[in-house]
Amino acid sequence: MKGKSVLFASIRYGASSGDVSYMGRGNNSTFAKNVSRRKDIDVDGNFDIIAHGTSTFIQIESGGKTHNISAREAAKLIRKTPGYKQSKSIRLLSCNTGAVENGFAQHLANALGKPVYAPNKYIWATPSGNHFIAGKTSEGKPDYSIKGDFIKFVPGGKKYGKK
């Protein structure tokens, strides 16, 4: 990712200094539209990252293409984002990024040297901007019987890529 990266082409920065969306504007952007209406932007100095995610990567949508990127690659992008340096911590609004102990969120905390809060299940957002963490039904809808939460990951866990 040296020089100018194609990944920066479609990144949308939010209204506050602590808000960046790596989701595209296509059919899958309903979550991004809904969560951008949240009332808790920059809570306690959090820098919010909106992206599709898993326990091992997040997705960056740029130039009509989707890129799965590691925590190390994400850290490079985040460091260049306006408002990041002032933040106390990172909050990932990205499904399952906190689902495993030594996964994406831990690696990102290690790479950035800041605490990372990440959901351990799917994150959902209503049209009014309220968001919650829950499981997912076979129909792709929230499973309210499976509650989730934001998990805090602190720097100092296992170094990225090392066991």
Side-chain angles (χ1 to χ4, degrees):
M1 289 186 18
K2 292 183 179 178
K4 288 197 173 187
S5 172
V6 67
L7 299 180
F8 286 102
S10 299
I11 294 172
R12 293 186 314 280
Y13 301 106
S16 77
S17 63
D19 181 21
V20 63
S21 178
Y22 295 123
M23 296 178 100
R25 300 174 191 268
N27 294 334
N28 294 326
S29 64
T30 301
F31 171 77
K33 288 176 193 172
N34 289 348
V35 82
S36 69
R37 297 181 184 117
R38 68 197 179 286
K39 306 286 188 265
D40 64 346
I41 293 176
D42 203 19
V43 170
D44 299 324
N46 284 328
F47 187 82
D48 289 345
I49 304 295
I50 302 168
H52 288 299
T54 73
S55 63
T56 58
F57 63 83
I58 62 170
Q59 289 184 339
I60 303 296
E61 296 183 28
S62 181
K65 295 181 181 178
T66 300
H67 308 271
N68 296 339
I69 65 169
S70 69
R72 186 176 294 162
E73 293 168 317
K76 288 178 185 178
L77 290 175
I78 293 166
R79 281 188 201 102
K80 295 178 183 181
T81 305
Y84 161 73
K85 288 181 183 176
Q86 300 89 322
S87 67
K88 295 178 188 172
S89 58
I90 304 297
R91 182 171 62 167
L92 295 171
L93 300 173
S94 306
C95 294
N96 299 299
T97 48
V100 298
E101 185 178 323
N102 194 30
F104 184 85
Q106 181 62 62
H107 297 315
L108 188 62
N110 292 345
L112 293 174
K114 294 184 182 191
V116 171
Y117 295 87
N120 61 351
K121 303 285 182 213
Y122 293 90
I123 186 164
W124 306 88
T126 66
S128 63
N130 294 323
H131 54 86
F132 58 95
I133 302 166
K136 184 178 184 180
T137 68
S138 59
E139 292 84 30
K141 298 184 187 240
D143 184 341
Y144 298 103
S145 69
I146 302 173
K147 302 273 186 218
D149 207 351
F150 280 103
I151 307 299
K152 182 178 183 180
F153 295 84
V154 295
K158 295 180 180 177
K159 296 296 180 192
Y160 183 80
K162 304 210 179 181
K163 298 193 181 216

